[in-house]
Structures are given as C-alpha cells and as structure tokens.
Amino acid sequence: MLDYGLDLSEITREAALPDLLAEGDDLDAAVSAEADWSRPTPAEGWTIGHQIAHLAAADANVLLAIRTPEKFAAVLDEDPDAVAAEGAARPRAELLERWRAGRAEAAAALGEIPLDQAFPWYGSQSTARLAVTLRLMETWAHGQDVFDTVGVEHRPTDRLKHIAALGVAGRGLSFYAAQLPLPTEPIRVELTSPDGVVWGWGPDDAAQRIRGSARDFCLRITQRRTLDETGLAAIGKDAKAWMENARVFL
C-alpha cells in the first residue's frame, strides 16, 4: 500500500519541506539553550536527550529507506525505547551535532527524490510527500514535549496546517486503533489558524463537526493533550469518538 492509502493531495512537498526545516530550527534553539538534557519530559521514561535521539534515529531511518531500501526491514525489529536510550547516553554535544546533520541530510534527500518514487516504511510504502509531513508532525510533537519541559512557549504557526491535514486524512487510523467501525457519515472539521483564518475539511452541511484551534487539534491527534485539556468541541457521536481516540500514528 502506498502512503497508507491516504489522500494527501492537499499537501505539497514545496510547502511542507521549508516548514519541516523551520520546525527543526525552532526546536534546535530550545534544546541548545537547555544545558541539562537529562530532564524528564512528559513522555514516561524519556528525557530531553531521548526525544532528540529519537528524532535523530528517525531521520537516519528515512535516509536508509531512500538510499538502501533493501536494508530497511532490520529497522522494523528495533525497540524505539532502546534506540532512544542509546542515543541519549551519548555526550550532549555529539548527539546535538548528529541530529543537526541528520535532519539536514534527510530533508535534502526528501527534497531531491522524485515524488512518484516509493520507498519502504512502517507497514506501507511511502513517498516524499508523506514522509516530509510525517517528519514535520513528529518534530513538532516531540518538540512539544521538550517545550513543555523547559517552560518555553511553543509558538503556533501556519505549519500546523500540514499536521492538521495529515490528521484529517488519517482519521481512519484512530478508529482502527480503537477497534471501532469507521464512520459512514461525513465529519466537518473547522480549525482556527494562529492568524485567525478558519481551515476547513469535509462537507459544509455535515451534521457531525469538530471545531477549535488548529493547535488544540494537533495536540490532540499527536496525543500531547487529552480531549478535556483542549478547547475542541466535538458534535456528534462519531466526531466525539474520533477525538476521544485521536491519533496520527500507530
């Protein structure tokens, strides 16, 4: 299956790739200003070092999948917690440099590969369009853990639109993971951007609706906040079930 069968027509690599780079730079500034990477983050058992090591490993996996796809199967057997722990045990300066170099190299590779060229990924074949958006989502989500830890504002930007679009396109994953039937009725999603513009998905006349800020929606689908911790309004049984079980990764 290519790109998990998701409709990603709304997302363009040309727009998402610069946003991936910018999100990495914002997180880089936050972690560079924090001397103690052993501080625990909201992810149980993970320190700031674990978060950065995880992102660095994911970038390395992207490069492996693109350059030597025949070797990617070995990655599927890895324990993410063990990989993060191994990276977090490295000296801070070494890990920071590894992450910086790796994310730049991965972004360059994703910008160069033809959009119709598939490469292996977890349970699917991916294209650069999906991979760039996944890297943006993951950088933002793990970055949120770091920003929460160091007490610095994670400033919302229009980069959230790519993450929100991914969450809407992957709605079925939330129901699949919760072992719930996929809704047959449409759900309208209306999210207010950081600039006050309303982003919308789904039929305007849908009875079931989700409304709120784009930031809250992204926090929910990446499981950084519970539904009650957001200002999201879910109208309708299926809309509420989606937000109660929201996720954008397995």
Side-chain angles (χ1 to χ4, degrees), residues 36 59 98 125:
D36 184 6
D59 290 331
R98 178 189 174 207
Q125 291 279 310

Side-chain angles (χ1 to χ4, degrees), residues 69-94:
E70 69 279 3
K71 296 181 180 179
F72 185 77
V75 172
L76 303 178
D77 296 326
E78 293 180 346
D79 178 356
D81 288 331
V83 172
E86 187 277 331
R90 296 170 181 249
R92 176 183 177 279
E94 178 185 328

Side-chain angles (χ1 to χ4, degrees), residues 157-161 164 189-194 197-201 214:
T157 69
D158 281 353
R159 300 170 209 154
L160 293 173
K161 190 172 187 180
V189 178
E190 294 180 344
L191 305 176
T192 304
S193 77
V197 176
V198 176
W199 299 330
W201 295 266

Side-chain angles (χ1 to χ4, degrees), residues 53-236:
H54 174 77
L55 291 174
D59 290 331
N61 289 342
V62 167
L63 290 170
L64 182 71
I66 291 174
R67 295 173 177 173
T68 53
E70 69 279 3
K71 296 181 180 179
F72 185 77
V75 172
L76 303 178
D77 296 326
E78 293 180 346
D79 178 356
D81 288 331
V83 172
E86 187 277 331
R90 296 170 181 249
R92 176 183 177 279
E94 178 185 328
L95 177 55
L96 178 58
E97 182 53 36
R98 178 189 174 207
W99 174 53
R100 284 174 173 168
R103 76 175 195 263
E105 195 173 1
L110 288 169
E112 295 167 358
I113 188 173
L115 279 174
D116 60 354
Q117 181 176 329
F119 50 87
W121 203 239
Y122 297 85
S124 181
Q125 291 279 310
S126 181
T127 65
R129 188 194 307 272
L130 174 62
V132 168
T133 313
L134 285 175
R135 296 308 307 128
L136 172 58
M137 177 275 295
E138 194 168 25
T139 302
W140 183 84
H142 287 281
Q144 183 65 52
D145 291 337
V146 173
F147 281 99
D148 285 344
T149 300
V150 300
V152 174
E153 179 189 9
H154 193 184
R155 184 176 60 88
T157 69
D158 281 353
R159 300 170 209 154
L160 293 173
K161 190 172 187 180
H162 305 297
I163 302 171
L166 181 63
V168 171
R171 183 186 72 181
L173 177 60
S174 300
F175 289 88
Y176 172 80
Q179 298 185 325
L180 295 173
L182 189 65
T184 56
E185 291 185 28
I187 300 175
R188 172 71 175 174
V189 178
E190 294 180 344
L191 305 176
T192 304
S193 77
D195 293 332
V197 176
V198 176
W199 299 330
W201 295 266
D204 289 333
D205 60 353
Q208 304 205 57
R209 315 179 77 84
I210 294 169
R211 294 194 182 102
S213 73
R215 179 179 183 272
D216 277 353
F217 183 79
C218 292
L219 286 170
R220 182 68 205 110
I221 62 172
T222 57
Q223 299 188 334
R224 263 52 195 181
R225 299 290 188 274
T226 65
L227 179 57
D228 289 343
E229 291 173 329
T230 72
L232 296 172
I235 303 168

